[in-house]
Amino acid sequence: MSVLQKCAIGTVFAALIGLGISYGPVYLFHFSGLVFLIAVLRAMLVKSDGWSMRNFVADQTRFRLQNFLWLMIAWYAVTIIWSRNMQLGLFHLFYISNGILIVLAFQQAVKTATDLRKIISVSGIIVFIEFAICFMAGLFGIQWPISPYSDYIFLFGREPGFSENLPSSAIEAIRHTPTGFRWNPNDLAVTMLIVLPFFLFYRKRVVALTGTFLSLVIILFTGSRGALIGLFVMSCAFVFLYLNRKQKIRTIAVATVGLLILFAASPLLKTQYPVKYREISTTTDALNKYLFTDHEHVNDTSSITIRQNLVSNGLRELKNTYGLGVGAGNSVRVQMENDNTHGVYSMHNFWIEILVEAGILFFILWCVWYFLLMRKVFFIGKRHPDDFIRYNAQAASLAMIGLTIGLISMSSAIYFLPMYLLFGISFSVCNLNKTESKVLSEKLDS
């Protein structure tokens, strides 16, 4: 294994931990990524590992799905020309650059199916460590030190994520809300949506059942309504797109029993976790109000009204730009100027954020690209002869289905490292599929 590949693997794992090891805005991932970039530049200079500037440019400008992020950063850079706040735009370019760095690291880290197997195995260990951290918070209120709800967060150059003036019941609920390595409960819940399929399709039943159960419980601990809706959509997709008839019957039976147990335990859960129980039990009502109730008829300070105002502010400004977009990162400025979102300035809907900032044309390109990538990985999962590649393809495609809804629940996903890791896995699956198909074709020709 070359030094470059080792640096790439380290960058992938550091990205998985993300903000979990950081000080202020600086993550372990940033140091690892910098080392990886230095290793890349060195490889280009000495032309080792097949690297050269000409080969790199030729490879990254080819017309293929995994190079779309270069188009994204290029277009967002162009939008800075007409954006009203250049600083916000430059921050956005930095965030997208980190996403591209993760994808490049994944490409260099995974050359064979064996490489991917090792990365998935170690990633599983890291995820189980995060599970343990989440359960310590959810059950005992013991938070990871780098959490907005930790008593020690000031030691890491950050401020607490809640006011001490809140009612004691609210503070108690916050103390028992896990954030894992993600800082934000919604981000953690969406991370669990991504992680869940990789346990769901795992061949060893003990690991599969344990990981699936823990992922589901952590989503419930966060109380994220958006993640719950994403979980429902992902569950329907899993049953009807990935299972045969016998598996469907068995899965529906198990799910029914699980729901009955949950229903029977609801009085206890309501007593032990009243705030989270109220949030989860009102998910359907909240979705209905968000989609069909005018914001003037909802409590002005409710999260539903705030989210409605965020969207309406953005779409109104998009119309004023004739569909061109307000520019990279400038949806934040739009919200600040309207001043009707009670200090919440992130769009809280990544699909709308892309539409408002990058414009209608790029939004269409993003949606088409996302669908094509998901479709391609899905069919690899259906047809590939290798069990491990098929497993990763199935898990990645189902995770992308869940992420489709999860992107609506987060404040923003432009700097959400697990999303780029999922893209990296998807691209690796596509590359391995292409490589193995080429090898098989050469064998048949000979």
mmCIF file of all heavy atoms in Angstrom, residues 4 7 10-11 14 26-42 98 101:
data_model
loop_
_atom_site.group_PDB
_atom_site.id
_atom_site.type_symbol
_atom_site.label_atom_id
_atom_site.label_comp_id
_atom_site.label_asym_id
_atom_site.label_seq_id
_atom_site.Cartn_x
_atom_site.Cartn_y
_atom_site.Cartn_z
ATOM 1 N N LEU A 4 0.381 7.440 -0.442
ATOM 2 C CA LEU A 4 -0.772 8.206 -0.904
ATOM 3 C C LEU A 4 -2.074 7.517 -0.529
ATOM 4 O O LEU A 4 -3.016 8.154 -0.052
ATOM 5 C CB LEU A 4 -0.690 8.404 -2.416
ATOM 6 C CG LEU A 4 -1.843 9.177 -3.065
ATOM 7 C CD1 LEU A 4 -1.963 10.569 -2.459
ATOM 8 C CD2 LEU A 4 -1.635 9.265 -4.568
ATOM 9 N N CYS A 7 -2.707 7.843 3.197
ATOM 10 C CA CYS A 7 -3.208 9.187 3.517
ATOM 11 C C CYS A 7 -4.675 9.324 3.126
ATOM 12 O O CYS A 7 -5.465 9.968 3.838
ATOM 13 C CB CYS A 7 -2.372 10.249 2.796
ATOM 14 S SG CYS A 7 -0.668 10.385 3.384
ATOM 15 N N GLY A 10 -6.801 7.489 5.667
ATOM 16 C CA GLY A 10 -6.883 8.290 6.892
ATOM 17 C C GLY A 10 -7.862 9.445 6.746
ATOM 18 O O GLY A 10 -8.599 9.775 7.686
ATOM 19 N N THR A 11 -7.893 10.054 5.571
ATOM 20 C CA THR A 11 -8.817 11.160 5.312
ATOM 21 C C THR A 11 -10.257 10.691 5.339
ATOM 22 O O THR A 11 -11.149 11.372 5.861
ATOM 23 C CB THR A 11 -8.496 11.807 3.953
ATOM 24 O OG1 THR A 11 -7.157 12.304 3.971
ATOM 25 C CG2 THR A 11 -9.446 12.957 3.643
ATOM 26 N N ALA A 14 -11.187 10.120 8.980
ATOM 27 C CA ALA A 14 -11.292 11.408 9.670
ATOM 28 C C ALA A 14 -12.591 12.119 9.275
ATOM 29 O O ALA A 14 -13.236 12.768 10.112
ATOM 30 C CB ALA A 14 -10.089 12.286 9.339
ATOM 31 N N VAL A 26 -11.953 23.926 13.367
ATOM 32 C CA VAL A 26 -10.914 23.089 12.764
ATOM 33 C C VAL A 26 -11.105 21.638 13.196
ATOM 34 O O VAL A 26 -11.109 21.330 14.395
ATOM 35 C CB VAL A 26 -9.507 23.582 13.160
ATOM 36 C CG1 VAL A 26 -8.435 22.714 12.496
ATOM 37 C CG2 VAL A 26 -9.329 25.046 12.770
ATOM 38 N N TYR A 27 -11.250 20.746 12.207
ATOM 39 C CA TYR A 27 -11.461 19.326 12.462
ATOM 40 C C TYR A 27 -10.161 18.544 12.250
ATOM 41 O O TYR A 27 -9.259 18.989 11.531
ATOM 42 C CB TYR A 27 -12.508 18.733 11.508
ATOM 43 C CG TYR A 27 -13.854 19.389 11.460
ATOM 44 C CD1 TYR A 27 -14.811 18.946 10.556
ATOM 45 C CD2 TYR A 27 -14.190 20.453 12.296
ATOM 46 C CE1 TYR A 27 -16.066 19.534 10.484
ATOM 47 C CE2 TYR A 27 -15.435 21.048 12.239
ATOM 48 C CZ TYR A 27 -16.374 20.588 11.322
ATOM 49 O OH TYR A 27 -17.608 21.167 11.259
ATOM 50 N N LEU A 28 -10.126 17.357 12.820
ATOM 51 C CA LEU A 28 -9.062 16.406 12.489
ATOM 52 C C LEU A 28 -9.058 16.138 10.988
ATOM 53 O O LEU A 28 -7.994 15.984 10.368
ATOM 54 C CB LEU A 28 -9.286 15.094 13.253
ATOM 55 C CG LEU A 28 -8.367 13.922 12.882
ATOM 56 C CD1 LEU A 28 -6.919 14.250 13.235
ATOM 57 C CD2 LEU A 28 -8.816 12.636 13.565
ATOM 58 N N PHE A 29 -10.247 16.114 10.394
ATOM 59 C CA PHE A 29 -10.383 15.885 8.950
ATOM 60 C C PHE A 29 -9.604 16.921 8.141
ATOM 61 O O PHE A 29 -9.017 16.598 7.102
ATOM 62 C CB PHE A 29 -11.868 15.925 8.567
ATOM 63 C CG PHE A 29 -12.119 16.149 7.100
ATOM 64 C CD1 PHE A 29 -11.843 15.155 6.175
ATOM 65 C CD2 PHE A 29 -12.617 17.363 6.641
ATOM 66 C CE1 PHE A 29 -12.066 15.359 4.820
ATOM 67 C CE2 PHE A 29 -12.839 17.582 5.298
ATOM 68 C CZ PHE A 29 -12.565 16.575 4.381
ATOM 69 N N HIS A 30 -9.565 18.168 8.596
ATOM 70 C CA HIS A 30 -8.854 19.212 7.854
ATOM 71 C C HIS A 30 -7.349 18.926 7.819
ATOM 72 O O HIS A 30 -6.699 19.106 6.777
ATOM 73 C CB HIS A 30 -9.118 20.582 8.481
ATOM 74 C CG HIS A 30 -10.554 21.001 8.402
ATOM 75 N ND1 HIS A 30 -11.219 21.593 9.450
ATOM 76 C CD2 HIS A 30 -11.463 20.883 7.398
ATOM 77 C CE1 HIS A 30 -12.464 21.855 9.092
ATOM 78 N NE2 HIS A 30 -12.643 21.415 7.856
ATOM 79 N N PHE A 31 -6.791 18.480 8.953
ATOM 80 C CA PHE A 31 -5.375 18.128 8.978
ATOM 81 C C PHE A 31 -5.108 16.918 8.086
ATOM 82 O O PHE A 31 -4.154 16.900 7.298
ATOM 83 C CB PHE A 31 -4.925 17.826 10.411
ATOM 84 C CG PHE A 31 -4.823 19.032 11.284
ATOM 85 C CD1 PHE A 31 -5.769 19.292 12.250
ATOM 86 C CD2 PHE A 31 -3.765 19.920 11.130
ATOM 87 C CE1 PHE A 31 -5.671 20.407 13.069
ATOM 88 C CE2 PHE A 31 -3.659 21.045 11.940
ATOM 89 C CZ PHE A 31 -4.616 21.283 12.908
ATOM 90 N N SER A 32 -5.954 15.909 8.200
ATOM 91 C CA SER A 32 -5.791 14.709 7.391
ATOM 92 C C SER A 32 -5.922 15.025 5.908
ATOM 93 O O SER A 32 -5.163 14.525 5.075
ATOM 94 C CB SER A 32 -6.836 13.664 7.807
ATOM 95 O OG SER A 32 -6.696 12.484 7.063
ATOM 96 N N GLY A 33 -6.910 15.870 5.580
ATOM 97 C CA GLY A 33 -7.098 16.263 4.184
ATOM 98 C C GLY A 33 -5.917 17.027 3.637
ATOM 99 O O GLY A 33 -5.529 16.853 2.471
ATOM 100 N N LEU A 34 -5.320 17.882 4.472
ATOM 101 C CA LEU A 34 -4.140 18.640 4.046
ATOM 102 C C LEU A 34 -2.975 17.710 3.762
ATOM 103 O O LEU A 34 -2.256 17.870 2.759
ATOM 104 C CB LEU A 34 -3.770 19.660 5.120
ATOM 105 C CG LEU A 34 -2.552 20.547 4.831
ATOM 106 C CD1 LEU A 34 -2.790 21.379 3.573
ATOM 107 C CD2 LEU A 34 -2.255 21.446 6.031
ATOM 108 N N VAL A 35 -2.781 16.718 4.640
ATOM 109 C CA VAL A 35 -1.717 15.735 4.417
ATOM 110 C C VAL A 35 -1.963 14.972 3.121
ATOM 111 O O VAL A 35 -1.032 14.715 2.340
ATOM 112 C CB VAL A 35 -1.632 14.763 5.620
ATOM 113 C CG1 VAL A 35 -0.665 13.617 5.317
ATOM 114 C CG2 VAL A 35 -1.195 15.503 6.873
ATOM 115 N N PHE A 36 -3.218 14.617 2.883
ATOM 116 C CA PHE A 36 -3.568 13.909 1.648
ATOM 117 C C PHE A 36 -3.263 14.758 0.421
ATOM 118 O O PHE A 36 -2.710 14.262 -0.580
ATOM 119 C CB PHE A 36 -5.041 13.511 1.666
ATOM 120 C CG PHE A 36 -5.559 12.972 0.359
ATOM 121 C CD1 PHE A 36 -5.076 11.781 -0.161
ATOM 122 C CD2 PHE A 36 -6.529 13.671 -0.355
ATOM 123 C CE1 PHE A 36 -5.548 11.285 -1.377
ATOM 124 C CE2 PHE A 36 -7.003 13.182 -1.563
ATOM 125 C CZ PHE A 36 -6.513 11.988 -2.077
ATOM 126 N N LEU A 37 -3.595 16.046 0.472
ATOM 127 C CA LEU A 37 -3.321 16.937 -0.667
ATOM 128 C C LEU A 37 -1.821 17.070 -0.922
ATOM 129 O O LEU A 37 -1.375 17.087 -2.078
ATOM 130 C CB LEU A 37 -3.920 18.316 -0.398
ATOM 131 C CG LEU A 37 -5.443 18.437 -0.544
ATOM 132 C CD1 LEU A 37 -5.885 19.848 -0.183
ATOM 133 C CD2 LEU A 37 -5.882 18.090 -1.966
ATOM 134 N N ILE A 38 -1.046 17.158 0.160
ATOM 135 C CA ILE A 38 0.419 17.221 0.006
ATOM 136 C C ILE A 38 0.933 15.944 -0.651
ATOM 137 O O ILE A 38 1.802 15.978 -1.533
ATOM 138 C CB ILE A 38 1.088 17.444 1.377
ATOM 139 C CG1 ILE A 38 0.735 18.833 1.909
ATOM 140 C CG2 ILE A 38 2.602 17.271 1.273
ATOM 141 C CD1 ILE A 38 1.187 19.088 3.334
ATOM 142 N N ALA A 39 0.369 14.785 -0.222
ATOM 143 C CA ALA A 39 0.768 13.504 -0.812
ATOM 144 C C ALA A 39 0.391 13.449 -2.296
ATOM 145 O O ALA A 39 1.144 12.903 -3.119
ATOM 146 C CB ALA A 39 0.111 12.352 -0.051
ATOM 147 N N VAL A 40 -0.753 14.021 -2.644
ATOM 148 C CA VAL A 40 -1.176 14.057 -4.053
ATOM 149 C C VAL A 40 -0.218 14.915 -4.871
ATOM 150 O O VAL A 40 0.221 14.524 -5.963
ATOM 151 C CB VAL A 40 -2.614 14.603 -4.172
ATOM 152 C CG1 VAL A 40 -2.954 14.927 -5.626
ATOM 153 C CG2 VAL A 40 -3.612 13.594 -3.635
ATOM 154 N N LEU A 41 0.116 16.106 -4.348
ATOM 155 C CA LEU A 41 1.030 16.995 -5.068
ATOM 156 C C LEU A 41 2.401 16.349 -5.237
ATOM 157 O O LEU A 41 3.036 16.462 -6.301
ATOM 158 C CB LEU A 41 1.159 18.325 -4.321
ATOM 159 C CG LEU A 41 -0.108 19.198 -4.301
ATOM 160 C CD1 LEU A 41 0.104 20.422 -3.404
ATOM 161 C CD2 LEU A 41 -0.472 19.643 -5.720
ATOM 162 N N ARG A 42 2.850 15.667 -4.192
ATOM 163 C CA ARG A 42 4.140 14.973 -4.285
ATOM 164 C C ARG A 42 4.091 13.885 -5.345
ATOM 165 O O ARG A 42 5.032 13.719 -6.148
ATOM 166 C CB ARG A 42 4.504 14.367 -2.926
ATOM 167 C CG ARG A 42 5.811 13.596 -2.922
ATOM 168 C CD ARG A 42 6.079 12.952 -1.569
ATOM 169 N NE ARG A 42 7.284 12.148 -1.596
ATOM 170 C CZ ARG A 42 7.350 10.899 -2.068
ATOM 171 N NH1 ARG A 42 6.250 10.323 -2.555
ATOM 172 N NH2 ARG A 42 8.489 10.232 -2.065
ATOM 173 N N ASN A 98 -14.270 20.660 0.396
ATOM 174 C CA ASN A 98 -14.078 19.561 1.331
ATOM 175 C C ASN A 98 -14.818 18.311 0.875
ATOM 176 O O ASN A 98 -14.326 17.193 1.034
ATOM 177 C CB ASN A 98 -14.548 19.970 2.731
ATOM 178 C CG ASN A 98 -13.523 20.804 3.470
ATOM 179 O OD1 ASN A 98 -12.615 20.278 4.093
ATOM 180 N ND2 ASN A 98 -13.655 22.112 3.387
ATOM 181 N N LEU A 101 -12.821 16.802 -1.830
ATOM 182 C CA LEU A 101 -11.638 16.167 -1.237
ATOM 183 C C LEU A 101 -11.979 14.771 -0.724
ATOM 184 O O LEU A 101 -11.199 13.826 -0.902
ATOM 185 C CB LEU A 101 -11.107 17.042 -0.100
ATOM 186 C CG LEU A 101 -9.865 16.535 0.635
ATOM 187 C CD1 LEU A 101 -8.673 16.484 -0.317
ATOM 188 C CD2 LEU A 101 -9.557 17.430 1.831
#
